[in-house]
Each structure stands twice: as C-alpha cells, then as structure tokens.
Amino acid sequence: MNDAALTSILLVDDEPTLREPLAEYLGDQGFAVSEAASAAAARTALTTNTPDLVLLDIMMPGEDGLSLCRHLVETRQIPVIFLTARGEPTDRIIGLELGADDYVVKPFEPRELVARIRTVLRRVGRSPAPQREIQDWHYRFEGWQLDPLKRKLTDPQGVTVPISTAEFRLLRAFLDNPRNVMDRDLLLDLVQGRSAHLFDRAVDNQVSRLRRKIEADTSEPQLILTVRGGGYRFAANVERIAPGGIGA
C-alpha cells in the first residue's frame, strides 16, 4: 500500500541518464518514485504495487510505451503521461487516443512536468503529493507581494490591488514556474481545468487582464512575456518568504 502522505509515481524509461536524475528530482518534490527500465520491468513492478500515476517513455526496446499504455488504461485505469522525443501532432494524437492523460516532449523543463503531473492528478480525482515548500509562504517579485491564503496582492507601494479568482490562479501558476515557458494548454489546465472546455483565447484574455494589474506599461510588458508559438513566460525573479519574515 502506498504511503498516504505521498503520491506514488512509476517512471518507465530505458535511458538511465534521464530516468535517474528525474526520479531524484520528483522525490525532492514530495513524490514517492519507483523506476523501471523497460515495459517488462514495469509490468513486474505493477504486480506488487499500483502507482497513482505512470510516466512512460514511448520508444523502448522490446514492448513499447504505446502497448504498455493500452494495458494500463484497459486493466488498471492508472493515469499516464507520455515522455517522448516524438513531438509530431500525429504521435500526440495516437498517444492521447490510447488513453494517455498528457504528452510531454523531450527535452522538457522538470518544473513544468511537475505542474502537469499535479494537473492530471487533480483531473482524475487523486490527491497530488504535498509540496515540500510551506504552503502559506508569500511570494515577492519586483516589489510586489502575493499572500496566497488571503489572495491578497500588494503593489510596491503597499497598496492592495484587487484580483479575481482566475487572475489569482494565473498569477500563482506563473509564480510557481518563473522563467519557464508555459503553453496555453498548461495554463488553461492550471487556471480553469480542461473540463471547462475553454479555448486558448480565454487564456490570452486572462493574461491581458492580469497584465493590466501588474505591468507598468501593457504595450511593453516586462513581467509576463509572450513567447511566439510557445505561450507565456514570467520573466521576474520570484522569492518565497515565510509569513513571519515579511516586512511592512
């Protein structure tokens, strides 16, 4: 049985130079990670333990990830995220049609992968592993402060700036992933959830509204940058500060 305090992940990839450091990183993020170097090894591991989620490479010697994904979806109902170097739209469609919950193309940013893992777990109704950061820590960026418990945003002059729930979620997503390119699908998952059936344009509109709150000049944004063909990137340095350490 899994430790109730941790979300368990089975990482299946035949390349140890990716698998081993990624397993260590995910462990540092509060997940209980087991590794398998092949589909056969994964099947063996599944006889003794059922993980909460599987990270699965597609191209492996012997049985490939597509076949194993089909088995997991049909017999175990375990959520699957593909990790693969194959990024063509057809490959994505095949993977998702087999029942995979998400598809991440190598090379990827580990923090984005963690965000996608947590999104999938929320979507399927499983509790994500608690982050090791203190959850009520405040965020500071370019003189701004965000208190996530009170949902209170304060500008560099100490003035409270009202923000909507959607704006708060979007800002929190950026602050948790500073300097990472975040595509619209990921932002939509983090802000609304795919069940909302919204379009990419909804994310663009929310970004525009948030920019009006935190950017000095929305015509030349310095904090939330648009990445051509990629989505958005939060360009500021972000500090996490314990509430007792926040000044006036």
Side-chain angles (χ1 to χ4, degrees), residues 70-77:
R70 185 182 298 110
H71 167 74
L72 293 173
V73 171
E74 292 177 352
T75 66
R76 299 294 191 102
Q77 289 80 51

Side-chain angles (χ1 to χ4, degrees), residues 111-215:
R111 285 181 292 183
E112 178 183 346
L113 176 61
V114 168
R116 289 183 179 273
I117 289 171
R118 295 185 186 281
T119 296
V120 168
L121 291 170
R122 284 194 297 269
R123 189 187 305 155
V124 300
R126 305 191 186 195
S127 298
Q131 294 182 349
R132 293 190 177 182
E133 294 88 0
I134 298 175
Q135 292 299 301
D136 61 352
W137 280 15
H138 294 215
Y139 298 86
R140 179 181 291 162
F141 62 97
E142 299 296 326
W144 291 77
Q145 290 186 6
L146 177 69
D147 178 345
L149 291 184
K150 296 180 180 179
R151 297 193 176 186
K152 180 181 178 182
L153 178 64
T154 307
D155 73 10
Q157 286 71 47
V159 177
T160 299
V161 177
I163 57 173
S164 68
T165 297
E167 290 164 353
F168 166 78
R169 291 176 178 171
L170 181 62
L171 179 58
R172 183 77 180 270
F174 282 130
L175 296 178
D176 282 334
N177 299 274
R179 301 191 179 279
N180 294 337
V181 176
M182 303 180 73
D183 64 31
R184 289 174 175 83
D185 284 343
L186 176 58
L187 287 171
L188 190 55
D189 279 339
L190 294 174
V191 175
Q192 296 287 354
R194 298 306 298 181
S195 60
H197 299 295
L198 298 178
F199 297 99
D200 290 350
R201 192 64 186 169
V203 173
D204 295 334
N205 290 338
Q206 289 171 359
V207 168
S208 294
R209 288 194 290 270
L210 182 58
R211 277 174 169 162
R212 288 196 289 270
K213 300 290 180 69
I214 67 174
E215 296 280 5

